Amino acid sequence: MSDIVVGTQQIDIERQLVEKFIKLDSDLKRATAVAEELKKEKELVEAELLDLLDDEGKKKSATFMGIGHVTCMEPKASQTWVDDEEKLFEHLRSPEIDRGDLIKTAVNSSSLRAYINQYLEEKHEDPPGVGYILKASLRAYPEKKK
């Protein structure tokens, strides 16, 4: 009789955890979607406000009671890429720049992670020269609403 009670309690705990996980997973997906929409809307308003201030030759908006104001920041690179690696490396190594410390030879982290997973799936021992953390995860399959 006690085995049945323990088994039922474990099933109840498992059920509660699955239910909670699926709800949290769903809530997180919804919140992420809302955050993405808000980010897009903010970017549109920001662009419009920057254009307005630029047209008026202002670096700062008016200060509004109960709202505040905005200030234009100096433009900064938000995305970068390399068109010609050799020219860039030559520039960074030049005596007047002296930033050779920015040049790194590295393995792409996503590719390395995929390689390690494949290597371990093939039942090899740990690959030499790398460290890794194995992390289990879950995927939610919520019941579809009818």
Side-chain angles (χ1 to χ4, degrees):
M1 178 77 176
S2 66
D3 287 342
I4 294 172
V5 172
V6 170
T8 303
Q9 288 172 343
Q10 287 175 328
I11 292 295
D12 287 344
I13 291 169
E14 182 178 341
R15 180 188 177 286
Q16 290 170 1
L17 290 172
V18 167
E19 181 179 26
K20 187 172 186 175
F21 177 81
I22 287 176
K23 182 183 181 324
L24 290 169
D25 186 68
S26 175
D27 290 350
L28 181 60
K29 286 176 183 172
R30 206 170 15 263
T32 301
V34 168
E36 285 298 317
E37 285 300 315
L38 289 172
K39 183 178 177 185
K40 287 177 189 175
E41 187 176 350
K42 176 189 170 244
E43 288 171 356
L44 290 172
V45 171
E46 181 177 35
E48 192 174 346
L49 185 54
L50 281 167
D51 285 345
L52 178 71
L53 292 173
D54 187 51
D55 288 348
E56 295 177 3
K58 296 164 116 182
K59 295 287 182 188
K60 178 182 176 246
S61 73
T63 301
F64 298 95
M65 293 288 292
I67 297 172
H69 72 279
V70 297
T71 302
C72 297
M73 304 299 290
E74 288 298 316
K76 293 191 174 161
S78 62
Q79 295 180 349
T80 60
W81 58 89
V82 177
D83 287 329
D84 186 336
E85 193 173 83
E86 284 306 312
K87 282 185 181 177
L88 174 62
F89 287 0
E90 185 179 315
H91 170 75
L92 292 172
R93 287 183 182 122
S94 69
E96 56 275 359
I97 302 298
D98 193 27
R99 289 303 310 263
D101 61 305
L102 294 177
I103 301 169
K104 305 287 182 213
T105 303
V107 176
N108 178 282
S109 62
S110 297
S111 299
L112 180 60
R113 185 169 47 253
Y115 167 73
I116 290 171
N117 285 325
Q118 177 186 4
Y119 193 82
L120 295 174
E121 283 174 8
E122 294 170 357
K123 308 294 186 219
H124 294 289
E125 293 182 14
D126 292 351
V130 297
Y132 59 90
I133 296 171
L134 296 178
K135 181 182 177 210
S137 63
L138 299 171
R139 181 175 177 191
Y141 292 94
E143 185 177 301
K144 295 187 177 174
K145 305 290 181 194
K146 296 177 184 178

